[in-house]
Short mmCIF file of all heavy atoms in Angstrom, two decimals:
data_model
loop_
_atom_site.label_atom_id
_atom_site.label_comp_id
_atom_site.label_asym_id
_atom_site.label_seq_id
_atom_site.Cartn_x
_atom_site.Cartn_y
_atom_site.Cartn_z
N PRO A 1423 18.23 -5.32 9.21
CA PRO A 1423 17.55 -6.61 9.29
C PRO A 1423 17.01 -6.84 10.70
O PRO A 1423 17.26 -6.04 11.62
CB PRO A 1423 18.67 -7.61 8.96
CG PRO A 1423 19.90 -6.94 9.47
CD PRO A 1423 19.70 -5.47 9.23
N TYR A 1424 16.28 -7.92 10.86
CA TYR A 1424 15.79 -8.31 12.19
C TYR A 1424 16.98 -8.42 13.14
O TYR A 1424 18.01 -8.99 12.81
CB TYR A 1424 15.08 -9.66 12.09
CG TYR A 1424 14.37 -10.08 13.36
CD1 TYR A 1424 13.06 -9.69 13.60
CD2 TYR A 1424 15.00 -10.86 14.31
CE1 TYR A 1424 12.40 -10.06 14.75
CE2 TYR A 1424 14.35 -11.25 15.47
CZ TYR A 1424 13.06 -10.85 15.69
OH TYR A 1424 12.41 -11.24 16.84
N GLY A 1425 16.83 -7.84 14.33
CA GLY A 1425 17.92 -7.84 15.31
C GLY A 1425 18.58 -6.48 15.45
O GLY A 1425 19.32 -6.25 16.40
N TYR A 1426 18.29 -5.59 14.50
CA TYR A 1426 18.92 -4.27 14.51
C TYR A 1426 17.91 -3.15 14.31
O TYR A 1426 16.82 -3.36 13.78
CB TYR A 1426 19.98 -4.17 13.40
CG TYR A 1426 21.20 -5.02 13.61
CD1 TYR A 1426 21.27 -6.31 13.07
CD2 TYR A 1426 22.28 -4.56 14.37
CE1 TYR A 1426 22.40 -7.11 13.26
CE2 TYR A 1426 23.40 -5.35 14.56
CZ TYR A 1426 23.45 -6.61 14.01
OH TYR A 1426 24.56 -7.41 14.21
N SER A 1434 22.26 -0.45 15.35
CA SER A 1434 22.36 -0.70 16.78
C SER A 1434 21.57 -1.97 17.10
O SER A 1434 20.48 -2.19 16.55
CB SER A 1434 21.78 0.48 17.57
OG SER A 1434 21.83 0.23 18.96
N VAL A 1435 22.10 -2.82 17.97
CA VAL A 1435 21.46 -4.10 18.29
C VAL A 1435 20.20 -3.89 19.12
O VAL A 1435 20.20 -3.13 20.09
CB VAL A 1435 22.44 -5.01 19.07
CG1 VAL A 1435 21.74 -6.29 19.54
CG2 VAL A 1435 23.65 -5.37 18.21
N LYS A 1436 19.11 -4.55 18.72
CA LYS A 1436 17.88 -4.59 19.51
C LYS A 1436 17.91 -5.85 20.36
O LYS A 1436 17.86 -6.96 19.83
CB LYS A 1436 16.65 -4.58 18.60
CG LYS A 1436 16.47 -3.30 17.82
CD LYS A 1436 15.16 -3.31 17.02
CE LYS A 1436 13.96 -3.14 17.93
NZ LYS A 1436 12.71 -2.94 17.18
N GLU A 1439 15.22 -8.75 20.00
CA GLU A 1439 15.31 -9.43 18.70
C GLU A 1439 16.60 -10.22 18.59
O GLU A 1439 16.64 -11.29 17.97
CB GLU A 1439 15.20 -8.41 17.56
CG GLU A 1439 13.81 -7.80 17.43
CD GLU A 1439 13.69 -6.86 16.24
OE1 GLU A 1439 14.68 -6.72 15.49
OE2 GLU A 1439 12.61 -6.27 16.05
N ALA A 1440 17.68 -9.70 19.20
CA ALA A 1440 18.97 -10.41 19.18
C ALA A 1440 18.86 -11.76 19.88
O ALA A 1440 19.43 -12.76 19.43
CB ALA A 1440 20.05 -9.56 19.82
N GLU A 1441 18.13 -11.80 20.98
CA GLU A 1441 17.95 -13.06 21.71
C GLU A 1441 17.15 -14.07 20.87
O GLU A 1441 17.44 -15.27 20.88
CB GLU A 1441 17.22 -12.81 23.05
CG GLU A 1441 18.05 -12.04 24.06
CD GLU A 1441 19.37 -12.73 24.35
OE1 GLU A 1441 19.38 -13.96 24.58
OE2 GLU A 1441 20.41 -12.03 24.34
N LEU A 1443 17.16 -14.14 17.60
CA LEU A 1443 18.09 -14.58 16.55
C LEU A 1443 19.01 -15.69 17.05
O LEU A 1443 19.24 -16.68 16.35
CB LEU A 1443 18.94 -13.39 16.08
CG LEU A 1443 18.39 -12.57 14.92
CD1 LEU A 1443 19.27 -11.35 14.70
CD2 LEU A 1443 18.31 -13.39 13.66
N LYS A 1444 19.55 -15.54 18.24
CA LYS A 1444 20.43 -16.56 18.81
C LYS A 1444 19.69 -17.89 18.95
O LYS A 1444 20.24 -18.96 18.70
CB LYS A 1444 20.98 -16.09 20.15
CG LYS A 1444 21.95 -14.92 20.04
CD LYS A 1444 22.36 -14.40 21.41
CE LYS A 1444 23.28 -13.19 21.28
NZ LYS A 1444 23.64 -12.63 22.60
N PHE A 1447 19.34 -19.51 15.50
CA PHE A 1447 20.58 -20.14 15.05
C PHE A 1447 20.86 -21.43 15.83
O PHE A 1447 21.42 -22.38 15.28
CB PHE A 1447 21.76 -19.17 15.16
CG PHE A 1447 21.94 -18.32 13.93
CD1 PHE A 1447 21.20 -17.17 13.75
CD2 PHE A 1447 22.83 -18.70 12.94
CE1 PHE A 1447 21.35 -16.40 12.60
CE2 PHE A 1447 23.00 -17.95 11.79
CZ PHE A 1447 22.25 -16.79 11.62
N THR A 1489 25.02 -9.64 7.61
CA THR A 1489 24.93 -8.46 8.48
C THR A 1489 24.85 -8.86 9.95
O THR A 1489 25.31 -8.13 10.83
CB THR A 1489 23.69 -7.62 8.10
OG1 THR A 1489 23.75 -7.33 6.70
CG2 THR A 1489 23.66 -6.31 8.87
N LEU A 1490 24.30 -10.04 10.23
CA LEU A 1490 24.13 -10.49 11.61
C LEU A 1490 25.47 -10.76 12.29
O LEU A 1490 25.54 -10.83 13.51
CB LEU A 1490 23.27 -11.76 11.65
CG LEU A 1490 21.91 -11.68 10.94
CD1 LEU A 1490 21.18 -13.00 11.08
CD2 LEU A 1490 21.07 -10.54 11.50
N THR A 1491 26.55 -10.92 11.53
CA THR A 1491 27.88 -11.17 12.10
C THR A 1491 28.66 -9.89 12.34
O THR A 1491 29.79 -9.94 12.84
CB THR A 1491 28.71 -12.08 11.16
OG1 THR A 1491 29.03 -11.35 9.96
CG2 THR A 1491 27.94 -13.34 10.81
N GLY A 1492 28.09 -8.74 11.96
CA GLY A 1492 28.81 -7.47 12.08
C GLY A 1492 29.42 -7.03 10.77
O GLY A 1492 29.98 -5.95 10.67
N HIS A 1521 29.64 -3.01 12.16
CA HIS A 1521 28.80 -2.76 13.34
C HIS A 1521 28.94 -3.94 14.30
O HIS A 1521 29.65 -4.91 14.01
CB HIS A 1521 27.33 -2.58 12.93
CG HIS A 1521 26.81 -3.71 12.10
ND1 HIS A 1521 26.95 -3.76 10.73
CD2 HIS A 1521 26.20 -4.88 12.43
CE1 HIS A 1521 26.43 -4.88 10.27
NE2 HIS A 1521 25.97 -5.59 11.28
N GLU A 1522 28.27 -3.86 15.43
CA GLU A 1522 28.33 -4.94 16.42
C GLU A 1522 27.59 -6.18 15.90
O GLU A 1522 26.46 -6.10 15.44
CB GLU A 1522 27.68 -4.48 17.74
CG GLU A 1522 27.70 -5.53 18.83
CD GLU A 1522 26.97 -5.10 20.09
OE1 GLU A 1522 26.56 -3.92 20.15
OE2 GLU A 1522 26.79 -5.95 20.99
N GLY A 1523 28.27 -7.32 15.95
CA GLY A 1523 27.65 -8.56 15.50
C GLY A 1523 26.80 -9.21 16.58
O GLY A 1523 27.03 -9.02 17.77
N ILE A 1524 25.82 -9.98 16.15
CA ILE A 1524 24.97 -10.74 17.08
C ILE A 1524 25.35 -12.21 17.07
O ILE A 1524 25.37 -12.87 18.09
CB ILE A 1524 23.47 -10.58 16.69
CG1 ILE A 1524 23.04 -9.11 16.80
CG2 ILE A 1524 22.59 -11.46 17.57
CD1 ILE A 1524 21.64 -8.84 16.26
N ILE A 1525 25.69 -12.73 15.88
CA ILE A 1525 26.04 -14.13 15.69
C ILE A 1525 27.52 -14.23 15.34
O ILE A 1525 28.02 -13.46 14.52
CB ILE A 1525 25.19 -14.77 14.56
CG1 ILE A 1525 23.69 -14.56 14.83
CG2 ILE A 1525 25.51 -16.24 14.40
CD1 ILE A 1525 23.20 -15.18 16.13
N SER A 1526 28.21 -15.19 15.95
CA SER A 1526 29.64 -15.37 15.64
C SER A 1526 29.80 -15.85 14.20
O SER A 1526 28.91 -16.53 13.65
CB SER A 1526 30.28 -16.36 16.60
OG SER A 1526 29.87 -17.68 16.30
#
Side-chain angles (χ1 to χ4, degrees):
Y1424 188 88
Y1426 291 93
S1434 178
V1435 174
K1436 293 185 73 171
E1439 291 184 2
E1441 291 304 313
L1443 270 173
K1444 291 174 183 177
F1447 272 84
T1489 307
L1490 306 181
T1491 69
H1521 53 274
E1522 180 184 353
I1524 297 172
I1525 306 299
S1526 74

